[in-house]
Amino acid sequence: MRGKLISFEGGDGVGKSTQLTLLADGLTSAGKQVLCTREPGGTALAEQIRRWVLHDKGAIAPVTELLLIFAARCQHIIEVIEPNLASGKWVLCDRFTDASYAYQGGGRGIPGATIQQVEAVATAGLLPDLTLLLDMPVEYGEQRSVGRGEGSDRFEAQEKDFKIRIRAAYQARQQSDPGRVRLVNALESVDVVQAQVWSLVSALLGQEDE
Ligand code: TYD
């Protein structure tokens, strides 16, 4: 049986990585084979593209950024995501295509129709079975990112208005596809968020049993 693809989305510092790890543990305990991966990244080539996009000091035009991220995604899908889904694994992905609509669309101002064209070529229509949108006001995410003490990448270094546009674009994605993209209140404690995530994922586990 084909596995499921679940993506985690949200602004920087909303706790995606923590929740992804907790979900992986939960699914493994439920007897699933799980693969955790991330975007941009997940293959050697795509991780190299990630370094350019996140840490290169030179200028990158918005459409170039979009094409690089979708090139990474294309390779990730062909090399990792599709084969693992086909072999029955559950693939948990730290960000996927919705992030391009949020960051390159909402953040950089690239029209949604342009992103759709690139998406059609790069992903052949692959979308997650479930997307968990961890949502919280921008100020809280910023505090958490600083608390982690990591050096900021090209997106984390952006001004607050950029982050507000990203949140709004994510919310718009959620509203246009509410069956797939489920909103999770990331202001709650780790345990409460984990419980929300598990109840949403349980519906997919139920589908498999049918
Ligand atoms: P993120 O996954 O949040 O990693 P970390 O936990 O190391 O901060 O960072 C990836 C960055 O890449 C994030 O700032 C958003 C950006 N990004 C895009 O701009 N577009 C995309 O399509 C994806 C997948 C990520």
PDB file of all heavy atoms in Angstrom, residues 125-143:
ATOM      1  N   GLY A 125       2.037  17.743 -10.079  1.00  0.00           N
ATOM      2  CA  GLY A 125       0.787  17.749  -9.311  1.00  0.00           C
ATOM      3  C   GLY A 125       0.847  17.055  -7.957  1.00  0.00           C
ATOM      4  O   GLY A 125      -0.170  16.946  -7.276  1.00  0.00           O
ATOM      5  N   LEU A 126       2.028  16.594  -7.554  1.00  0.00           N
ATOM      6  CA  LEU A 126       2.100  15.934  -6.241  1.00  0.00           C
ATOM      7  C   LEU A 126       1.861  16.944  -5.119  1.00  0.00           C
ATOM      8  O   LEU A 126       2.540  17.959  -5.026  1.00  0.00           O
ATOM      9  CB  LEU A 126       3.471  15.269  -6.036  1.00  0.00           C
ATOM     10  CG  LEU A 126       3.637  14.608  -4.658  1.00  0.00           C
ATOM     11  CD1 LEU A 126       2.797  13.327  -4.555  1.00  0.00           C
ATOM     12  CD2 LEU A 126       5.096  14.291  -4.353  1.00  0.00           C
ATOM     13  N   LEU A 127       0.879  16.639  -4.276  1.00  0.00           N
ATOM     14  CA  LEU A 127       0.612  17.454  -3.090  1.00  0.00           C
ATOM     15  C   LEU A 127       0.583  16.513  -1.884  1.00  0.00           C
ATOM     16  O   LEU A 127       0.306  15.324  -2.031  1.00  0.00           O
ATOM     17  CB  LEU A 127      -0.740  18.157  -3.214  1.00  0.00           C
ATOM     18  CG  LEU A 127      -0.762  19.469  -4.001  1.00  0.00           C
ATOM     19  CD1 LEU A 127      -2.188  19.956  -4.173  1.00  0.00           C
ATOM     20  CD2 LEU A 127       0.094  20.535  -3.326  1.00  0.00           C
ATOM     21  N   PRO A 128       0.846  17.048  -0.685  1.00  0.00           N
ATOM     22  CA  PRO A 128       0.769  16.182   0.492  1.00  0.00           C
ATOM     23  C   PRO A 128      -0.654  15.641   0.714  1.00  0.00           C
ATOM     24  O   PRO A 128      -1.637  16.264   0.295  1.00  0.00           O
ATOM     25  CB  PRO A 128       1.162  17.130   1.638  1.00  0.00           C
ATOM     26  CG  PRO A 128       1.946  18.223   0.984  1.00  0.00           C
ATOM     27  CD  PRO A 128       1.325  18.396  -0.370  1.00  0.00           C
ATOM     28  N   ASP A 129      -0.752  14.498   1.373  1.00  0.00           N
ATOM     29  CA  ASP A 129      -2.062  13.992   1.797  1.00  0.00           C
ATOM     30  C   ASP A 129      -2.598  14.873   2.916  1.00  0.00           C
ATOM     31  O   ASP A 129      -3.803  15.030   3.067  1.00  0.00           O
ATOM     32  CB  ASP A 129      -1.917  12.550   2.301  1.00  0.00           C
ATOM     33  CG  ASP A 129      -1.468  11.629   1.183  1.00  0.00           C
ATOM     34  OD1 ASP A 129      -2.298  11.329   0.311  1.00  0.00           O
ATOM     35  OD2 ASP A 129      -0.270  11.275   1.149  1.00  0.00           O
ATOM     36  N   LEU A 130      -1.681  15.423   3.701  1.00  0.00           N
ATOM     37  CA  LEU A 130      -2.062  16.292   4.818  1.00  0.00           C
ATOM     38  C   LEU A 130      -0.948  17.318   5.030  1.00  0.00           C
ATOM     39  O   LEU A 130       0.232  16.966   5.003  1.00  0.00           O
ATOM     40  CB  LEU A 130      -2.224  15.452   6.094  1.00  0.00           C
ATOM     41  CG  LEU A 130      -2.457  16.207   7.410  1.00  0.00           C
ATOM     42  CD1 LEU A 130      -3.828  16.908   7.402  1.00  0.00           C
ATOM     43  CD2 LEU A 130      -2.397  15.239   8.600  1.00  0.00           C
ATOM     44  N   THR A 131      -1.355  18.571   5.222  1.00  0.00           N
ATOM     45  CA  THR A 131      -0.384  19.624   5.547  1.00  0.00           C
ATOM     46  C   THR A 131      -0.791  20.237   6.874  1.00  0.00           C
ATOM     47  O   THR A 131      -1.938  20.643   7.047  1.00  0.00           O
ATOM     48  CB  THR A 131      -0.374  20.693   4.436  1.00  0.00           C
ATOM     49  OG1 THR A 131       0.125  20.095   3.242  1.00  0.00           O
ATOM     50  CG2 THR A 131       0.512  21.875   4.802  1.00  0.00           C
ATOM     51  N   LEU A 132       0.157  20.275   7.810  1.00  0.00           N
ATOM     52  CA  LEU A 132      -0.120  20.849   9.124  1.00  0.00           C
ATOM     53  C   LEU A 132       0.476  22.244   9.147  1.00  0.00           C
ATOM     54  O   LEU A 132       1.699  22.404   9.054  1.00  0.00           O
ATOM     55  CB  LEU A 132       0.506  19.953  10.197  1.00  0.00           C
ATOM     56  CG  LEU A 132      -0.090  18.535  10.169  1.00  0.00           C
ATOM     57  CD1 LEU A 132       0.865  17.518  10.755  1.00  0.00           C
ATOM     58  CD2 LEU A 132      -1.431  18.512  10.888  1.00  0.00           C
ATOM     59  N   LEU A 133      -0.404  23.243   9.201  1.00  0.00           N
ATOM     60  CA  LEU A 133       0.055  24.636   9.215  1.00  0.00           C
ATOM     61  C   LEU A 133       0.108  25.112  10.665  1.00  0.00           C
ATOM     62  O   LEU A 133      -0.923  25.353  11.292  1.00  0.00           O
ATOM     63  CB  LEU A 133      -0.888  25.516   8.381  1.00  0.00           C
ATOM     64  CG  LEU A 133      -0.611  27.025   8.443  1.00  0.00           C
ATOM     65  CD1 LEU A 133       0.819  27.357   8.062  1.00  0.00           C
ATOM     66  CD2 LEU A 133      -1.581  27.773   7.528  1.00  0.00           C
ATOM     67  N   LEU A 134       1.328  25.194  11.185  1.00  0.00           N
ATOM     68  CA  LEU A 134       1.521  25.660  12.570  1.00  0.00           C
ATOM     69  C   LEU A 134       1.520  27.182  12.548  1.00  0.00           C
ATOM     70  O   LEU A 134       2.428  27.803  11.988  1.00  0.00           O
ATOM     71  CB  LEU A 134       2.844  25.115  13.131  1.00  0.00           C
ATOM     72  CG  LEU A 134       2.753  23.728  13.778  1.00  0.00           C
ATOM     73  CD1 LEU A 134       2.268  22.677  12.799  1.00  0.00           C
ATOM     74  CD2 LEU A 134       4.091  23.315  14.357  1.00  0.00           C
ATOM     75  N   ASP A 135       0.472  27.729  13.124  1.00  0.00           N
ATOM     76  CA  ASP A 135       0.255  29.167  12.987  1.00  0.00           C
ATOM     77  C   ASP A 135       0.377  29.885  14.327  1.00  0.00           C
ATOM     78  O   ASP A 135      -0.145  29.408  15.334  1.00  0.00           O
ATOM     79  CB  ASP A 135      -1.157  29.385  12.416  1.00  0.00           C
ATOM     80  CG  ASP A 135      -1.480  30.851  12.241  1.00  0.00           C
ATOM     81  OD1 ASP A 135      -0.819  31.502  11.407  1.00  0.00           O
ATOM     82  OD2 ASP A 135      -2.367  31.355  12.961  1.00  0.00           O
ATOM     83  N   MET A 136       1.078  31.003  14.305  1.00  0.00           N
ATOM     84  CA  MET A 136       1.139  31.873  15.498  1.00  0.00           C
ATOM     85  C   MET A 136       1.517  33.276  15.038  1.00  0.00           C
ATOM     86  O   MET A 136       2.090  33.448  13.952  1.00  0.00           O
ATOM     87  CB  MET A 136       2.141  31.358  16.526  1.00  0.00           C
ATOM     88  CG  MET A 136       3.568  31.317  16.036  1.00  0.00           C
ATOM     89  SD  MET A 136       4.776  31.204  17.373  1.00  0.00           S
ATOM     90  CE  MET A 136       4.438  29.656  18.101  1.00  0.00           C
ATOM     91  N   PRO A 137       1.185  34.311  15.827  1.00  0.00           N
ATOM     92  CA  PRO A 137       1.567  35.662  15.430  1.00  0.00           C
ATOM     93  C   PRO A 137       3.078  35.763  15.255  1.00  0.00           C
ATOM     94  O   PRO A 137       3.846  35.095  15.960  1.00  0.00           O
ATOM     95  CB  PRO A 137       1.095  36.522  16.605  1.00  0.00           C
ATOM     96  CG  PRO A 137       0.026  35.727  17.264  1.00  0.00           C
ATOM     97  CD  PRO A 137       0.426  34.291  17.087  1.00  0.00           C
ATOM     98  N   VAL A 138       3.481  36.601  14.309  1.00  0.00           N
ATOM     99  CA  VAL A 138       4.891  36.709  13.909  1.00  0.00           C
ATOM    100  C   VAL A 138       5.829  36.993  15.087  1.00  0.00           C
ATOM    101  O   VAL A 138       6.903  36.406  15.184  1.00  0.00           O
ATOM    102  CB  VAL A 138       4.996  37.816  12.831  1.00  0.00           C
ATOM    103  CG1 VAL A 138       6.416  38.248  12.622  1.00  0.00           C
ATOM    104  CG2 VAL A 138       4.389  37.325  11.528  1.00  0.00           C
ATOM    105  N   GLU A 139       5.398  37.858  16.015  1.00  0.00           N
ATOM    106  CA  GLU A 139       6.287  38.244  17.141  1.00  0.00           C
ATOM    107  C   GLU A 139       6.756  37.033  17.941  1.00  0.00           C
ATOM    108  O   GLU A 139       7.900  36.943  18.370  1.00  0.00           O
ATOM    109  CB  GLU A 139       5.614  39.149  18.171  1.00  0.00           C
ATOM    110  CG  GLU A 139       4.822  40.338  17.741  1.00  0.00           C
ATOM    111  CD  GLU A 139       3.550  40.049  17.003  1.00  0.00           C
ATOM    112  OE1 GLU A 139       2.542  39.780  17.659  1.00  0.00           O
ATOM    113  OE2 GLU A 139       3.541  40.120  15.769  1.00  0.00           O
ATOM    114  N   TYR A 140       5.847  36.061  18.145  1.00  0.00           N
ATOM    115  CA  TYR A 140       6.191  34.902  18.970  1.00  0.00           C
ATOM    116  C   TYR A 140       7.230  34.026  18.283  1.00  0.00           C
ATOM    117  O   TYR A 140       8.163  33.525  18.902  1.00  0.00           O
ATOM    118  CB  TYR A 140       4.940  34.080  19.299  1.00  0.00           C
ATOM    119  CG  TYR A 140       3.978  34.799  20.198  1.00  0.00           C
ATOM    120  CD1 TYR A 140       2.944  35.562  19.670  1.00  0.00           C
ATOM    121  CD2 TYR A 140       4.109  34.712  21.574  1.00  0.00           C
ATOM    122  CE1 TYR A 140       2.055  36.238  20.491  1.00  0.00           C
ATOM    123  CE2 TYR A 140       3.227  35.383  22.415  1.00  0.00           C
ATOM    124  CZ  TYR A 140       2.194  36.138  21.868  1.00  0.00           C
ATOM    125  OH  TYR A 140       1.332  36.804  22.681  1.00  0.00           O
ATOM    126  N   GLY A 141       7.066  33.844  16.963  1.00  0.00           N
ATOM    127  CA  GLY A 141       8.024  33.039  16.207  1.00  0.00           C
ATOM    128  C   GLY A 141       9.405  33.654  16.243  1.00  0.00           C
ATOM    129  O   GLY A 141      10.414  32.966  16.384  1.00  0.00           O
ATOM    130  N   GLU A 142       9.442  35.000  16.120  1.00  0.00           N
ATOM    131  CA  GLU A 142      10.738  35.692  16.136  1.00  0.00           C
ATOM    132  C   GLU A 142      11.450  35.448  17.458  1.00  0.00           C
ATOM    133  O   GLU A 142      12.639  35.171  17.497  1.00  0.00           O
ATOM    134  CB  GLU A 142      10.538  37.206  15.936  1.00  0.00           C
ATOM    135  CG  GLU A 142      10.356  37.562  14.473  1.00  0.00           C
ATOM    136  CD  GLU A 142      10.223  39.064  14.236  1.00  0.00           C
ATOM    137  OE1 GLU A 142       9.704  39.767  15.131  1.00  0.00           O
ATOM    138  OE2 GLU A 142      10.629  39.510  13.164  1.00  0.00           O
ATOM    139  N   GLN A 143      10.697  35.536  18.564  1.00  0.00           N
ATOM    140  CA  GLN A 143      11.306  35.308  19.886  1.00  0.00           C
ATOM    141  C   GLN A 143      11.895  33.912  19.977  1.00  0.00           C
ATOM    142  O   GLN A 143      12.993  33.707  20.465  1.00  0.00           O
ATOM    143  CB  GLN A 143      10.253  35.453  20.987  1.00  0.00           C
ATOM    144  CG  GLN A 143       9.940  36.902  21.338  1.00  0.00           C
ATOM    145  CD  GLN A 143       8.660  36.996  22.171  1.00  0.00           C
ATOM    146  OE1 GLN A 143       8.212  36.034  22.778  1.00  0.00           O
ATOM    147  NE2 GLN A 143       8.059  38.181  22.187  1.00  0.00           N
TER     148      GLN A 143
END
